[in-house]
């Protein structure tokens, strides 16, 4: 599973600021806040919805990306 999943930098920044303003104090807490946020909240900072499901795929933020060695790069 070596596909790149990219999000707009402004959307990530806005979501991180929102998480910190609501009490998140670490990167883990920020990623959990974004993952648990309702779909309507994620549409405000600009996360794009999947055209097939209509959902914003932010659950991947909780998982670490595979290393380059694991991808054969």
């Amino acid at each position: 599973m070596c596909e790149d999943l990219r999000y707009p930098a402004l959307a990530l920044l806005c979501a991180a600021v929102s998480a910190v303003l609501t009490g998140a104090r670490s990167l883990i807490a920020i990623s959990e806040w974004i993952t648990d946020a309702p779909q309507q909240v994620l549409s405000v900072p600009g996360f794009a919805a999947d055209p097939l499901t209509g959902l914003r795929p932010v659950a991947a933020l909780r998982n670490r990306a595979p290393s380059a060695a694991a991808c054969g790069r």
Side-chain angles (χ1 to χ4, degrees):
M1 196 160 174
C2 297
E3 299 175 13
D4 288 334
L5 183 61
R6 301 189 186 246
Y7 298 103
L10 184 59
L12 284 174
L13 179 63
C14 290
V17 168
S18 299
V20 169
L21 289 174
T22 58
R25 298 280 181 233
S26 66
L27 290 176
I28 298 293
I30 291 170
S31 68
E32 287 177 356
W33 186 92
I34 294 171
T35 302
D36 295 338
Q39 293 290 312
Q40 302 90 326
V41 172
L42 296 175
S43 66
V44 173
F47 286 103
D50 184 306
L52 297 176
T53 64
L55 300 175
R56 284 154 185 86
V58 296
L61 288 175
R62 188 174 283 179
N63 302 328
R64 289 180 175 237
S67 66
C71 293
R73 294 183 197 162

